[in-house]
Amino acid sequence: MRMLDNILLWNVMAALILLGQAKPNLKHRSQSSSGLTTDCVGNLMRLSLDKALAVGNHLEVEAINGTQHILITPSLAAQCGYSMESDPWGNTRIYTSLLGCYVNNKEDSYDVGLRLKMYSDSQSDVISHDVMQTCSYPRWASREILCDRNYMEVSNHMATPNAKGQAQNVKDSSKLDTIQDDSEALGIWKVTFNTPQPVTMMLKEVEQAGYSAMATSTRLVMRSPYNTAETYYEDVAGVPMEVLKVSAYYKAKHGLSVVNLVATCPTGGVLFTNEVISWHVPRRVTPLADSKFKILELYMGINGQRLDKSQMSARGHTLYSTDFHIVIDIQVGSPDGYYKSHAPDYQYHVTYTVEPMLELLWRSNAQDTRYKVLYPITTPLMPRPLHIQNNTVPETRVFSMFLGTFLHDVQLKNITFSIGVLTIKECSARDFIIQEHLFSNGTKAFSLLVPFSDEVVLKHNPQRLVTTYFLQLIFGFIILPEETPFAHPVELQASLQDIVLPIITGTCDQNMFYIHVKYGSQGRNFQAMVGSQVLTPEVAEEYHFQENGTHFSLILPYSAKDTVFELLTSTAVRARVDLLLFATINNWVLADYFLSCNFPLTTTVCHPNGTMTALAVKVESVPNLVPSQLTLQDKSCKPVFSDLRVAYFSFSVNSCGTTRRFMDHYMVYENEITLAYNKGVAYKSPIDPEYRQTISCYYMINATLSVAFSSTHRSFNPTAEIGLGQLMVHMRLSQDSSYRHFYQAEDYPVAEYLRQPLYFEVELMESTDPQLELILENCWATLHKNRTSLPSWDIIVDSCENRDDSYKTIFYPVVSDARVVYPSHIKRFSMKMFTFTKDEEVVNDEIYVHCDALICDTNSQDGSCRGQCMHPTGLGGDKHQGTKGLRRERGSMDATHQRQISTGPIVQNTQSNLLK
């Protein structure tokens, strides 16, 4: 397990550190050692490389051995006593054992030389640093055991021939082994690995297997990578330990000797809580010490450096021993380690990594053993639930949120909204505000502001006047430097009572209902019902539906099928129209409106010849009434006409059960309209009331008329006095050439495209004299409402079109129909939409149209009523003069016969620089 951890460690470091072949043909240049520090930490030399120096580069490490430079690969590092530790951001520490390969040893003075090569991303240049450090370590114990990250090392003081327990002087070589070494060199020549099945190797085989066996002037050294074939595991006080046991045969000046070397290193013993890491090491390492041993020194450290009690206390670390263990407690989050972000299954987690050191000196059987362990510890993945703080104040109509906290190695890359994935730059372009907040403890968080009005915000109406706004998003992060992606979904919602309901208004005239609906905040997002009928396109067309984006209007006759009659009198009927607006999704009533008006209606007519006519209508209070079933007093007298809403009776006063009575100077005829029932049974119903309508006619009797006659001669013919009255003329703009639908006052200004026809109708109002005729004498257009303002353009001149106009005015015939009773009272014409220009630029994009109308008697013999354009004068209007043009002076007439009318403004819908 320990070996696997070290393999993983070296693999992680490989992202920044290349330990492969040297790059050929590269230029070398030296650089100052800023960012490099070296120090001696007991039996190790430590080199620290700051991330600022290594960032963006690939690193190679070479050992300097005189004039040689040996590339340190991972396998060579474990064999020769080199180790390396690097965090994900490039902070690197390189440890070298003072008993390692390529270290120059002179009487406990050790010279260590390393060359660091840093390659840029382009691989075209290399920066090198040569580091030399001399360390002194005079306090060697009889036995030194070092447990580093990737190897374990044991060294024993060189035995003398008389030293007991250290070495055996072997004179009979047959007792050693049948394999003999023919070399005359001094030092180790053979090693036996004491595994369950002993394995003996010659020195060359030992080195080929990845081990290191060497002898200095005073010590024998054996070094092994973790998890090799010749090591084994042993449980000591519940802690798994990896054990290396060898017998080393070496040649000394005094002859052949053998010494037993043992190294054992912990591969476990760590307990975790959310706050504390507890590292347990056996108090008595049984492969190394028997029951008679005494601990002389006990230290803890961080990253190979001892800490004193004050430093331990300041960092929150503790070191203590129990009957079976030595325990180091380290606070999770201590500045001696570092946090790292992870995203397993795209969920945010963190780990904490720290590298404690334990150093012991004990005495057993008069032999001192120094035991030193450097043990990197990384906690298991710890879930880090992200906190979402919704700071939205609905009245501001902006979503405001806070998401955190993250470690500094997390970077926000994008956000997924309902419309898709947006980068941070694209979010800023939509006026979203994204901020990164840094905290003193090294963590950070992100905040986001999104307005309710943006299309990424979804809307729903849980109540009639309330809108709930939804913001569904996914934050996309990466973890540096690996660029590991992960995501976090967030859903925000806010409710606001911000719905403005539609407003319905209405008016009536003598025949029509006029309904106006102004849209609310949700526009035309509703369904309408007129009476009991849905406002379909067919119904809308029947009721002259018009819409302009902010409102719509309807025009209904009071007798329309979707109105109801509330009350009938002898002179009027009260009718009502109901309009209901409701939401299409949840059927909420948005507006409920009714308009009730009285309309003139004569229900009973008494004719001089003794005939009576009567009109009965179906009223709302009798919903089940069938008009065809109504009768007079005589049940055989039925309506001469009926439909679903009315029944019409015509009968003589001496028939149909009509009664007669006298009252003062009047003779009164009366009858009654009722429902007919079988066998004369009275109508009784808990639902419908009784229907009765009494009709009466009054005839005057006993009236005396006196007639006077005078034969006095008159010298003059009688004449009638002149009575004065007002005739009203009205000009309207039609929506099309059918002259059925006209623009209302609220529709102005009316927008039309250049060259599009404008349809005008001028009508003599409230006159029933068929002998009168309306003639348009002159019509012209101006820029302003004032009919005498300049410039102006002639449209009709002397009752005819302006012949100087390339787009001539067109007159349309008027015929009788349901609306037009007297065609002579109406004139219709069209002209093309134009604009006024000056110096080839549009002066204004709207015009006003004015007319002088003449009312004349068709029976007149003076020629004044010659008809529309019956006798053209041939005079043309002035050419269009721009802002300098003048309208011709028009002849004046008697104000009794002439009317002045105007309409506008009419606005050009598309800009154009063309003249009319």
Side-chain angles (χ1 to χ4, degrees):
M1 182 66 183
R2 179 63 176 266
M3 186 62 182
L4 179 61
D5 290 342
N6 284 283
I7 293 173
L8 293 175
L9 174 65
W10 279 97
N11 286 338
V12 170
M13 291 189 296
L16 293 175
I17 304 170
L18 296 181
L19 299 176
Q21 297 180 353
K23 306 295 185 297
N25 301 322
L26 295 179
K27 295 183 295 182
H28 291 268
R29 57 188 176 91
S30 62
Q31 181 171 299
S32 68
S33 59
S34 176
L36 291 172
T37 58
T38 59
D39 51 1
C40 302
V41 285
N43 56 358
L44 294 168
M45 190 278 285
R46 181 176 65 179
L47 168 63
S48 299
L49 176 64
D50 187 81
K51 65 179 180 181
L53 190 61
V55 66
N57 295 303
H58 302 289
L59 178 65
E60 287 183 352
V61 181
E62 295 178 349
I64 300 175
N65 185 23
T67 60
Q68 292 183 317
H69 296 82
I70 298 91
L71 183 65
I72 305 298
T73 63
S75 60
L76 186 60
Q79 184 177 17
C80 285
Y82 295 85
S83 68
M84 191 180 309
E85 186 273 334
S86 180
D87 67 23
W89 304 280
N91 297 298
T92 303
R93 285 183 296 273
I94 302 173
Y95 295 86
T96 304
S97 170
L98 298 185
L99 297 177
C101 309
Y102 319 117
V103 177
N104 188 16
N105 177 6
K106 295 180 181 180
E107 297 180 357
D108 292 332
S109 178
Y110 301 89
D111 295 328
V112 181
L114 296 175
R115 170 170 285 182
L116 307 182
K117 291 183 177 180
M118 284 173 284
Y119 294 88
S120 64
D121 289 337
S122 65
Q123 300 294 317
S124 62
D125 197 9
V126 60
I127 300 173
S128 64
H129 300 270
D130 287 350
V131 179
M132 304 300 295
Q133 176 69 39
T134 299
C135 293
S136 176
Y137 187 59
R139 297 184 59 195
W140 287 99
S142 300
R143 179 171 58 180
E144 295 265 347
I145 297 174
L146 175 62
C147 299
D148 208 334
R149 299 158 195 77
N150 54 331
Y151 66 89
M152 48 186 174
E153 175 187 283
V154 56
S155 70
N156 275 31
H157 183 71
M158 186 76 73
T160 62
N162 297 324
K164 295 181 179 180
Q166 290 290 326
Q168 301 176 14
N169 191 9
V170 181
K171 296 181 179 179
D172 186 359
S173 61
S174 63
K175 295 181 180 180
L176 296 176
D177 198 270
T178 59
I179 303 175
Q180 297 296 323
D181 181 21
D182 297 331
S183 174
E184 297 297 331
L186 300 179
I188 297 176
W189 61 278
K190 184 174 66 174
V191 173
T192 298
F193 293 90
N194 297 313
T195 59
Q197 297 295 328
V199 177
T200 300
M201 300 181 188
M202 302 304 292
L203 180 61
K204 186 175 182 180
E205 295 175 318
V206 169
E207 293 175 348
Q208 289 175 345
Y211 301 98
S212 179
M214 60 179 290
T216 69
S217 60
T218 58
R219 307 187 71 80
L220 289 178
V221 183
M222 186 71 193
R223 190 177 301 107
S224 170
Y226 289 106
N227 199 30
T228 64
E230 286 72 38
T231 62
Y232 64 94
Y233 290 90
E234 183 176 329
D235 186 280
V236 181
V239 178
M241 307 287 285
E242 187 170 355
V243 181
L244 171 70
K245 282 185 178 182
V246 299
S247 295
Y249 299 85
Y250 67 96
K251 294 178 181 179
K253 293 179 180 181
H254 53 265
L256 290 175
S257 298
V258 62
V259 67
N260 295 322
L261 301 175
V262 180
T264 180
C265 296
T267 60
V270 181
L271 300 177
F272 301 95
T273 68
N274 290 334
E275 293 79 25
V276 177
I277 299 172
S278 294
W279 179 29
H280 295 70
V281 178
R283 180 183 175 88
R284 183 170 65 89
V285 183
T286 53
L288 301 175
D290 55 20
S291 58
K292 296 179 180 180
F293 84 105
K294 181 180 180 180
I295 296 177
L296 303 179
E297 296 178 5
L298 177 61
Y299 303 99
M300 79 155 290
I302 295 293
N303 299 326
Q305 180 68 52
R306 289 181 183 178
L307 300 178
D308 59 28
K309 290 184 178 180
S310 62
Q311 291 172 322
M312 292 168 54
S313 176
R315 289 168 162 82
H317 308 323
T318 58
L319 172 64
Y320 61 94
S321 61
T322 67
D323 292 340
F324 301 99
H325 299 96
I326 296 172
V327 183
I328 294 177
D329 284 345
I330 300 174
Q331 297 296 317
V332 174
S334 163
D336 289 323
Y338 62 88
Y339 279 106
K340 182 71 182 73
S341 297
H342 303 272
D345 298 326
Y346 296 95
Q347 300 298 312
Y348 188 55
H349 291 69
V350 298
T351 58
Y352 176 73
T353 299
V354 68
E355 187 179 294
M357 180 191 74
L358 177 64
E359 190 173 351
L360 292 171
L361 180 65
W362 71 71
R363 181 168 294 166
S364 176
N365 295 325
Q367 183 186 30
D368 291 344
T369 299
R370 187 176 302 280
Y371 187 67
K372 186 174 183 178
V373 183
L374 283 73
Y375 196 80
I377 298 174
T378 299
T379 64
L381 289 170
M382 297 180 288
R384 179 69 66 91
L386 297 176
H387 173 66
I388 302 171
Q389 183 175 326
N390 188 353
N391 298 323
T392 303
V393 177
E395 288 70 21
T396 64
R397 306 186 69 82
V398 175
F399 276 112
S400 173
M401 64 154 296
F402 184 92
L403 178 62
T405 56
F406 301 90
L407 298 182
H408 64 91
D409 57 351
V410 174
Q411 186 177 40
L412 178 61
K413 294 295 290 184
N414 54 54
I415 305 177
T416 302
F417 296 92
S418 59
I419 63 171
V421 180
L422 300 180
T423 64
I424 305 304
K425 185 177 181 180
E426 290 171 332
C427 290
S428 299
R430 298 177 74 96
D431 293 331
F432 300 168
I433 300 177
I434 303 173
Q435 291 182 311
E436 182 180 278
H437 305 270
L438 303 177
F439 305 113
S440 58
N441 62 357
T443 61
K444 63 182 177 181
F446 300 93
S447 63
L448 174 66
L449 298 178
V450 177
F452 287 2
S453 58
D454 196 276
E455 64 176 330
V456 303
V457 178
L458 306 178
K459 301 175 184 179
H460 173 62
N461 298 107
Q463 301 178 29
R464 194 167 68 104
L465 298 177
V466 175
T467 302
T468 298
Y469 299 88
F470 295 93
L471 180 60
Q472 296 174 332
L473 41 84
I474 301 175
F475 286 89
F477 301 96
I478 61 170
I479 299 174
L480 300 176
E482 305 90 343
E483 296 193 356
T484 303
F486 75 99
H488 188 76
V490 175
E491 181 172 324
L492 304 175
Q493 72 176 57
S495 296
L496 192 61
Q497 186 169 329
D498 59 353
I499 299 299
V500 178
L501 297 179
I503 299 175
I504 308 175
T505 57
T507 58
C508 302
D509 60 14
Q510 291 187 343
N511 297 292
M512 300 288 184
F513 289 105
Y514 299 92
I515 307 296
H516 184 274
V517 178
K518 182 180 180 181
Y519 299 156
S521 59
Q522 295 183 307
R524 184 72 168 86
N525 189 25
F526 57 80
Q527 183 62 273
M529 290 188 66
V530 182
S532 59
Q533 188 171 203
V534 176
L535 187 61
T536 61
E538 295 75 18
V539 175
E541 182 179 4
E542 180 182 355
Y543 293 151
H544 307 288
F545 174 88
Q546 294 186 23
E547 183 181 24
N548 70 355
T550 62
H551 71 277
F552 76 80
S553 61
L554 299 172
I555 302 176
L556 291 79
Y558 77 88
S559 59
K561 61 183 178 181
D562 293 309
T563 63
V564 294
F565 296 138
E566 294 181 322
L567 180 66
L568 180 66
T569 67
S570 60
T571 59
V573 61
R574 188 170 71 200
R576 187 186 79 244
V577 61
D578 297 316
L579 183 62
L580 178 68
L581 308 181
F582 62 92
T584 55
I585 298 177
N586 39 37
N587 290 329
W588 285 330
V589 175
L590 304 179
D592 189 359
Y593 177 81
F594 73 90
L595 178 62
S596 182
C597 298
N598 290 320
F599 296 94
L601 180 65
T602 301
T603 59
T604 303
V605 178
C606 304
H607 298 278
N609 63 357
T611 300
M612 296 177 63
T613 59
L615 182 68
V617 299
K618 179 179 180 179
V619 292
E620 185 182 29
S621 59
V622 190
N624 293 325
L625 173 67
V626 179
S628 63
Q629 297 177 354
L630 292 173
T631 66
L632 297 172
Q633 289 283 22
D634 184 345
K635 303 306 179 185
S636 63
C637 292
K638 297 181 178 180
V640 296
F641 168 80
S642 66
D643 58 19
L644 296 177
R645 306 191 69 183
V646 300
Y648 180 75
F649 295 87
S650 179
F651 58 96
S652 172
V653 296
N654 56 2
S655 66
C656 295
T658 306
T659 62
R660 185 184 63 185
R661 61 188 177 90
F662 294 91
M663 183 178 67
D664 294 334
H665 300 291
Y666 294 93
M667 181 170 57
V668 182
Y669 291 93
E670 289 184 337
N671 209 320
E672 189 176 56
I673 302 175
T674 61
L675 283 174
Y677 298 100
N678 294 331
K679 302 180 180 180
V681 178
Y683 175 72
K684 301 293 183 182
S685 171
I687 299 176
D688 292 337
E690 184 178 9
Y691 183 88
R692 293 181 180 275
Q693 179 181 341
T694 301
I695 51 178
S696 303
C697 278
Y698 290 76
Y699 292 93
M700 184 178 292
I701 58 174
N702 296 330
T704 302
L705 297 178
S706 299
V707 178
F709 176 78
S710 173
S711 60
T712 305
H713 177 73
R714 292 194 300 265
S715 60
F716 57 90
N717 292 324
T719 61
E721 290 187 9
I722 298 176
L724 298 178
Q726 293 293 327
L727 295 176
M728 184 171 66
V729 177
H730 180 48
M731 181 163 66
R732 295 188 293 179
L733 179 61
S734 176
Q735 295 183 14
D736 51 42
S737 60
S738 67
Y739 288 94
R740 294 181 58 190
H741 308 301
F742 296 88
Y743 291 106
Q744 306 300 316
E746 61 269 18
D747 297 325
Y748 286 88
V750 173
E752 291 290 350
Y753 291 99
L754 191 66
R755 307 283 185 255
Q756 292 300 307
L758 303 175
Y759 300 96
F760 294 91
E761 178 182 272
V762 183
E763 181 180 6
L764 174 61
M765 307 296 290
E766 299 180 0
S767 173
T768 58
D769 188 349
Q771 303 302 321
L772 295 181
E773 182 175 0
L774 173 71
I775 296 175
L776 298 178
E777 184 185 24
N778 295 293
C779 292
W780 66 98
T782 64
L783 278 174
H784 306 290
K785 193 172 184 180
N786 185 350
R787 66 199 327 265
T788 63
S789 63
L790 294 176
S792 69
W793 180 258
D794 286 326
I795 301 169
I796 297 175
V797 180
D798 293 335
S799 79
C800 293
E801 69 272 12
N802 180 1
R803 296 194 176 188
D804 290 339
D805 194 340
S806 58
Y807 297 95
K808 289 184 169 37
T809 302
I810 299 174
F811 293 100
Y812 294 90
V814 181
V815 297
S816 298
D817 56 23
R819 184 174 72 86
V820 179
V821 179
Y822 305 105
S824 63
H825 292 186
I826 295 177
K827 288 295 182 289
R828 293 171 178 168
F829 69 92
S830 70
M831 58 172 280
K832 297 293 182 66
M833 178 63 189
F834 71 94
T835 59
F836 287 93
T837 62
K838 179 181 180 182
D839 298 330
E840 298 186 355
E841 292 188 5
V842 175
V843 177
N844 199 344
D845 60 356
E846 63 181 30
I847 61 173
Y848 292 81
V849 176
H850 317 275
C851 285
D852 289 338
L854 176 67
I855 302 170
C856 61
D857 185 353
T858 57
N859 294 326
S860 172
Q861 300 298 320
D862 60 3
S864 62
C865 202
R866 61 180 181 268
Q868 191 74 51
C869 201
M870 292 300 295
H871 304 286
T873 62
L875 295 176
D878 293 338
K879 289 290 185 182
H880 182 245
Q881 301 294 325
T883 55
K884 296 181 180 180
L886 295 175
R887 180 172 57 85
R888 71 171 66 231
E889 293 296 328
R890 293 171 174 81
S892 61
M893 295 186 61
D894 188 346
T896 303
H897 299 87
Q898 189 183 46
R899 294 294 181 266
Q900 297 175 342
I901 46 181
S902 301
T903 187
I906 304 170
V907 182
Q908 181 189 350
N909 204 356
T910 301
Q911 295 294 333
S912 174
N913 290 327
L914 296 176
L915 286 173
K916 180 180 179 294

